[in-house]
Amino acid sequence: MHDIRAIRTDPAAFDAAMARRGLPAVSAGIMVLDVERRSASTALQEKQARRNALAKEIGQGKRSGADTAALEAEATALRGDMESLEQRVPELDAGIKRILESLPNVLDSSVPDGPDETANVVLKLSGEPAAFAFAPKQHFELGEALGMMDFATASKLAGARFTVLRGPLARMERALGQFMLDHHTIERGYLETIVPSLVNEATAYGTGNLPKFEEDLFKTTDGRYLIPTAEVPLTNTVAGDIVAEKALPMRLTALTDCYRSEAGSAGRDTRGMLRQHQFRKVEMVCIAHPDRSADEHEWMTRSGEMILEKLGLPYRRVLLCAGDTGFASTRTHDLEVWLPGQGMYREISSCSNCKDFQARRMNARYRGGADGKAVAFVHTLNASGVAVGRALIAVMENYQQEDGSIVVPEVLRPYMGGMAVIARG
RNA sequence: GGAUGGGUGGCCGAGCGGUUUAAGGCAGCGGUCUUGAAAACCGCCGUGCGUGUAAGCGCACCGUGAGUUCGAAUCUCACCCCAUCCGCCA
């Protein structure tokens, strides 16, 4: 959500910011509504002030036994005058809100221009893709051959874009989640949190998933939404709150299932478990002081990178360009992991600084500043730390051996009872 | 699902048609006193919008939305949420 005052102050800058997102200029239209709204609001307030004064006079008159009939007549007439304004002001408010809430966040100046992912910038490369003495297989070939990854049964149970895992592969998915949570909580200061997987409309609105992206979510029969990521409940834990400045930064992490309708992605990544309606993810969220959010963005991105480094997976850090940066974000780093079976880097984490965009939607503030009393919006950030299902894929493809078995990365072995290799049993 | 209570500022809590400009307390901030601290005492202390160069002024907000009234935190209706008990259940 945008601050109307910022648009009022510099409409051209706002239009330029939206232009970077490929959107037409809207400030002129907003300003027309804003001017009318303020004049209508002022007119209404003057009438309300008069009404309040009359009511007070009538009250005093009644107590002292004076005749208040003339005053009451004026107040009754005034009420008629106010009706149209009382309707118009909220209408204008709603009209402005409808426009503002549909517009994406203003990009950080460091974000490169560009229409889509082809304009993203690789910021760093980590690890060397291993040279295989054989043709590396894709994860679903490996998993099905091991008898531990079953798409046919998942399809029978639920339809396309679901997976059944069994045995050591199921255990490795569990191990990955535990390992990631332990890393973030013990080494990086994140607070482990268990959150609802169903949220109400206000919560989905707060992070920017509603109203514009409702078709991406699964909605329940009682009007709730299955979370597409733990970012939604974690960030909204401070919705409506005024937190103490010393409580910042609040670093939170959660391992949850994530549910996405994948509307509009028909035909993409249909083989295997890369793109599913349900997948597990460790999420990090930070509620940060505005002065510190850029540093926290780096801290979170590093927290995700360290997971991949500990797992021995080659990856690169990518700065998303204007056209590829999400609705609520000002700047996003993607971590892309090397998948030898695909011969490509694929997204495994996304780390965004939303600054005050979500905070404004959910009215999340802190009290502090120089005088210790000022109230201002917090900054919110979120990052995958990392997608568990995709981490499983990456481990399988990078640690595969010619016979189709998979070496278990050292850091996961304590979580798997010491198992060193996953092989057909 | 049924029954009964409840939703008031950062927190607790009074108020149930008009001196409420929302009492009082806690927390917080400033001060007096003190070597320092504590205690005590004094003062300040909700959010948003509008308007003004500013000091300020105005309006709205007591879960949400409608309604009654000259006037609503207070009365009416609907809805939402929370708590407790019963029923069912992991």
Side-chain angles (χ1 to χ4, degrees):
Chain A
M1 180 70 83
H2 297 283
D3 182 1
I4 184 107
R5 285 169 298 191
I7 303 173
R8 211 184 280 152
T9 305
D10 194 347
F14 187 75
D15 286 337
M18 291 301 110
R20 295 197 67 201
R21 297 272 198 174
L23 295 170
V26 289
S27 68
I30 295 171
M31 286 304 100
V32 167
L33 291 173
D34 184 51
V35 166
E36 187 189 345
R37 190 196 129 256
R38 282 187 289 155
S39 81
S41 173
T42 301
L44 176 61
Q45 284 179 15
E46 281 165 7
K47 290 184 193 300
Q48 286 170 327
R50 179 65 188 148
R51 178 200 62 195
N52 291 346
L54 284 170
K56 195 168 187 177
E57 258 189 273
I58 292 166
Q60 283 165 352
K62 289 213 189 256
R63 252 174 287 117
S64 64
D67 176 21
T68 58
L71 294 172
E72 286 186 41
E74 187 189 344
T76 304
L78 188 61
R79 196 157 67 153
D81 287 353
M82 286 165 59
E83 262 173 34
S84 67
L85 287 170
E86 276 174 340
Q87 255 184 334
R88 187 62 182 149
V89 171
E91 259 171 32
L92 289 162
D93 274 335
I96 292 167
K97 180 162 181 267
R98 207 174 309 118
I99 295 171
L100 292 182
E101 73 190 4
S102 73
L103 296 171
N105 204 350
V106 174
L107 295 164
D108 190 80
S109 59
S110 62
V111 172
D113 282 318
D116 53 40
E117 68 275 8
T118 58
N120 294 344
V121 176
V122 176
L123 295 182
K124 96 180 201 193
L125 278 164
S126 172
E128 279 289 312
F132 286 85
F134 56 95
K137 294 189 174 70
Q138 296 206 57
H139 72 277
F140 49 86
E141 301 173 278
L142 294 163
E144 288 180 321
L146 285 166
M148 301 174 194
M149 188 178 282
D150 181 351
F151 298 100
T153 301
S155 171
K156 176 177 73 179
L157 296 173
R161 294 202 190 281
F162 290 93
T163 309
V164 169
L165 295 177
R166 295 193 180 92
L169 226 42
R171 187 172 189 180
M172 187 186 274
E173 161 122 358
R174 176 160 57 93
L176 281 163
Q178 305 310 311
F179 157 68
M180 293 176 199
L181 278 178
D182 283 349
H183 169 80
H184 297 313
T185 56
I186 297 166
E187 295 184 33
R188 303 294 281 174
Y190 288 85
L191 179 67
E192 184 168 357
T193 312
I194 303 277
V195 289
S197 291
L198 289 170
V199 295
N200 59 29
E201 189 182 334
T203 299
Y205 178 87
T207 32
N209 302 85
L210 290 181
K212 208 176 176 190
F213 304 103
E214 182 169 23
E215 72 277 9
D216 296 338
L217 304 176
F218 287 113
K219 188 174 187 177
T220 63
T221 52
D222 66 353
R224 290 178 234 262
Y225 298 87
L226 283 160
I227 57 170
T229 159
E231 169 203 343
V232 176
L234 282 178
T235 309
N236 276 281
T237 54
V238 294
D241 289 349
I242 301 176
V243 303
E245 188 172 23
K246 9 178 210 290
L248 304 176
M250 297 169 61
R251 294 181 179 138
L252 311 172
T253 186
L255 167 59
T256 69
D257 282 312
C258 303
Y259 302 90
R260 299 188 180 179
S261 72
E262 293 298 339
S265 59
R268 287 201 356 233
D269 303 316
T270 50
R271 290 297 311 271
M273 55 179 286
L274 194 71
R275 186 177 302 278
Q276 303 279 277
H277 286 307
Q278 174 191 333
F279 62 95
R280 257 191 272 189
K281 182 159 59 68
V282 170
E283 182 74 1
M284 296 174 276
V285 157
C286 183
I287 312 300
H289 190 286
D291 295 343
R292 297 276 310 153
S293 67
D295 295 320
E296 284 296 327
H297 191 220
E298 179 61 25
W299 181 265
M300 292 183 103
T301 307
R302 274 303 298 154
S303 300
E305 287 176 349
M306 289 162 81
I307 294 289
L308 301 178
E309 288 163 18
K310 284 186 172 183
L311 288 169
L313 297 170
Y315 71 89
R316 62 187 191 184
R317 184 201 287 202
V318 175
L319 173 60
L320 299 192
C321 76
D324 208 23
T325 302
F327 180 76
S329 178
T330 65
R331 175 182 162 109
T332 298
H333 300 146
D334 271 8
L335 300 183
E336 297 181 343
V337 70
W338 176 249
L339 294 184
Q342 283 202 359
M344 290 172 69
Y345 284 96
R346 295 301 303 255
E347 179 187 341
I348 195 167
S349 170
S350 189
C351 180
S352 297
N353 183 357
C354 298
K355 294 188 183 168
D356 65 358
F357 187 82
Q358 294 177 325
R360 204 177 287 282
R361 291 175 88 94
M362 65 179 70
N363 200 25
R365 294 167 296 175
Y366 73 99
R367 188 184 300 278
D371 59 356
K373 289 178 192 169
V375 172
F377 290 111
V378 296
H379 280 193
T380 64
L381 303 95
N382 62 81
S384 335
V386 300
V388 177
R390 288 189 177 182
L392 179 72
I393 291 173
V395 167
M396 290 172 71
E397 294 199 9
N398 282 277
Y399 283 83
Q400 63 180 295
Q401 304 187 97
E402 189 157 18
D403 65 357
S405 65
I406 293 157
V407 174
V408 177
E410 289 285 351
V411 292
L412 294 183
R413 291 182 192 178
Y415 296 92
M416 297 186 65
M419 188 184 294
V421 176
I422 295 177
R424 193 169 177 100

